Amino acid sequence: MGKIWRRILIGIVILAAIIGIVAKLLEPEEYTNTKPRQNTECTITQRVLDEAGKMTDKQKKDLEALIAEKEQLIGCDIVILTVNEPELDSYDEIRDYAQAYYEDNKFGWNKANGDGIIYVDDWATGYTWMCTTGLAKTRLDDTDTEQIVDSANEIVNDNPYEAYTSIVNNAATMIRTGRSSYVQINPIIVFLAAAVIGAIFVGVQLIGHGGKDTVLRSTYAKGGVQMNEKQDIFLHSHVTRTKRPSKSSGGGGKVGGTGGHGGAGGRH
């Protein structure tokens, strides 16, 4: 028995090492900007444009400071715009509005209409859109932008400032890592996962060995039992087919952009 447990322990260690190596290989390269802002055409210095009046002066000041820090880190303009526009009553309308606002005001870290994002929240209709351009579009895929927008919309009605702060932080983090699905794995968690898998495997093996039938038909019958007739009896069968329910989409959403932009939208 001692040899068996030694083998199990060795197997767990090997499995943990394999999981750790695979996680390391899948770890995306982090990006950190090293260039100063080069766009001289954009004359707007503000990044928080709260036309809907959803934040206090202090909150806007704090958000401006956070954006300035993240912009330098990732080399992208980050614009938060709140509006009250009843005509922006569809995803296409809010998307076009966000893209046009970004282009018309010549936002972009490296050039006019260059690297950056703009998040537009229309409080008249509840539609929101995050537009990505240049580097931001390259580093953020549809899953990333959807996740950023959905996370903000879950809390924006109760706390707009917290929601917009999450937009800035999440976008900057995802642009740096290049992939939202990346999760840094703790070595202890890796070993525990391997141990659990090993324990399950051992349990299955023990159950399999313990459930073997060691008594044969010939055990208590001299010469064994001879089967003169083979017959399969099928009594009845009842099969119920049901349609699998589709995954709830909550408030819905849309991804994609036009004219070289990417992005995603939602509604709260």
Side-chain angles (χ1 to χ4, degrees), residues 6-238:
R6 278 200 299 271
R7 291 175 182 175
I8 292 171
L9 181 59
I10 293 172
I12 291 174
V13 172
I14 293 174
L15 183 59
I18 292 174
I19 294 175
I21 292 171
V22 171
K24 189 64 178 178
L25 291 175
L26 293 177
E27 180 180 332
E29 181 182 354
E30 277 198 356
Y31 165 82
T32 301
N33 173 60
T34 58
K35 299 179 180 178
R37 192 171 189 270
Q38 299 173 324
N39 183 1
T40 58
E41 296 185 57
C42 179
T43 58
I44 298 179
T45 57
Q46 288 177 282
R47 294 292 183 269
V48 181
L49 305 160
D50 186 23
E51 297 179 9
K54 294 299 175 179
M55 289 179 283
T56 66
D57 289 342
K58 183 180 184 307
Q59 288 175 336
K60 287 185 284 188
K61 182 179 179 180
D62 290 345
L63 191 54
E64 286 276 6
L66 176 65
I67 288 175
E69 174 190 336
K70 299 300 184 181
E71 283 185 338
Q72 185 64 47
L73 186 65
I74 62 176
C76 291
D77 279 6
I78 304 175
V79 182
I80 302 294
L81 171 64
T82 69
V83 295
N84 274 309
E85 301 289 350
E87 67 273 15
L88 303 179
D89 57 354
S90 71
Y91 288 113
D92 289 345
E93 292 287 347
I94 191 77
R95 178 202 64 200
D96 294 346
Y97 184 91
Q99 293 178 176
Y101 193 95
Y102 192 89
E103 293 175 1
D104 292 346
N105 290 286
K106 301 180 180 180
F107 288 110
W109 182 266
N110 56 328
K111 62 180 181 179
N113 196 26
D115 302 336
I117 68 172
I118 181 172
Y119 183 79
V120 180
D121 188 354
D122 183 10
W123 283 84
T125 63
Y127 281 103
T128 65
W129 191 269
M130 189 177 80
C131 168
T132 59
T133 306
L135 177 68
K137 180 185 175 184
T138 301
R139 301 286 291 184
L140 300 176
D141 60 20
D142 289 347
T143 301
D144 297 328
T145 50
E146 277 188 293
Q147 182 178 328
I148 294 170
V149 172
D150 290 344
S151 296
N153 281 343
E154 288 177 359
I155 59 176
V156 70
N157 289 324
D158 296 325
N159 194 330
Y161 170 71
E162 184 178 343
Y164 304 144
T165 298
S166 76
I167 289 284
V168 177
N169 284 325
N170 290 336
T173 298
M174 292 180 186
I175 287 174
R176 289 198 69 196
T177 62
R179 185 171 56 191
S180 63
S181 58
Y182 166 63
V183 178
Q184 192 167 7
I185 301 178
N186 189 301
I188 297 177
I189 295 177
V190 172
F191 184 82
L192 290 176
V196 170
I197 294 173
I200 293 173
F201 175 78
V202 172
V204 171
Q205 292 299 312
L206 292 176
I207 291 173
H209 286 295
K212 285 186 176 180
D213 188 2
T214 58
V215 180
L216 304 177
R217 289 190 179 94
S218 59
T219 301
Y220 303 110
K222 185 177 181 179
V225 177
Q226 184 176 357
M227 301 296 292
N228 295 322
E229 182 180 357
K230 182 178 180 181
Q231 184 178 21
D232 292 329
I233 302 176
F234 184 75
L235 296 178
H236 66 274
S237 175
H238 180 70

